[in-house]
């Protein structure tokens, strides 16, 4: 039943426009929601119509402790002042043996936030970073 492993100890690999931004330990917010408009039909007192109108995609945030791969993000951020443009991204969930569990392709991606570590000598915490992406849809990706 190795093929049915539920994907414990998963980490995530991020690429934006083919640029490898390394492996991340956490991924939060990946998803979409169908917005509904309610319509009250005259003479119908049994229910209110709920009509699908548009899709809303939540921002996705990836987090990790600082590693040597942080330099990849720094290089990517250094390119942003020359122009922010929408691109594509791939987020792959990987098992500890680096076998891909699943992959998502994101359309019209914009990096909206990068947060670096906070250093406080009074607290013993792992220095971490996060990156937040906005997107407008999913792309079909190969397995």
């Amino acid at each position: 039943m190795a093929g049915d492993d539920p994907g414990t100890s998963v980490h995530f690999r991020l690429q934006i426009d083919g640029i490898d931004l390394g492996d991340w330990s956490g991924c939060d917010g990946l998803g979409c929601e169908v917005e509904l408009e309610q319509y009250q039909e005259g003479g119908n007192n049994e229910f209110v119509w709920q009509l699908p109108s548009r899709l809303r995609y939540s921002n996705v945030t990836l987090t990790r402790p600082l590693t040597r791969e942080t330099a990849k993000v720094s290089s990517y951020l250094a390119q942003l002042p020359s122009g922010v443009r929408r691109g594509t991204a791939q987020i792959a969930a990987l098992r500890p043996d680096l076998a891909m569990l699943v992959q998502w392709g994101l359309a019209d991606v914009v990096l909206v936030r990068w947060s670096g570590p906070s250093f406080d000598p009074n607290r013993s915490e792992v220095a971490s970073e996060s990156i937040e992406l906005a997107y407008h849809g999913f792309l079909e990706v190969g397995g």
Side-chain angles (χ1 to χ4, degrees), residues 17 20 44 46 49 51 62 73 81 83 88 98 122 125 129:
D17 288 335
D20 179 19
N44 178 2
E46 294 179 17
W49 289 99
L51 307 172
L62 292 107
V73 175
T88 60
L98 301 182
N122 296 319
E125 294 179 341
E129 67 177 326

Side-chain angles (χ1 to χ4, degrees), residues 54-136:
R54 65 179 59 106
L55 287 173
R56 178 186 306 222
Y57 298 90
S58 55
N59 289 359
V60 61
T61 302
L62 292 107
T63 56
R64 68 178 171 199
L66 291 183
T67 67
R68 290 185 180 144
E69 291 188 324
T70 298
K72 294 178 181 180
V73 175
S74 297
S75 295
Y76 186 81
L77 292 171
Q79 299 172 15
L80 289 181
S82 64
V84 175
R85 62 186 181 283
R86 295 187 178 278
T88 60
Q90 289 77 39
I91 298 174
L94 305 174
R95 291 190 173 113
D97 65 359
L98 301 182
M100 186 184 309
L101 184 61
V102 66
Q103 181 172 328
W104 298 272
L106 307 179
D108 296 329
V109 172
V110 174
L111 189 152
V112 294
R113 179 175 295 125
W114 173 80
S115 298
S118 296
F119 296 106
D120 183 350
N122 296 319
R123 295 176 25 187
S124 177
E125 294 179 341
V126 174
S128 62
E129 67 177 326
S130 66
I131 193 169
E132 183 177 346
L133 307 171
Y135 62 101
H136 287 157

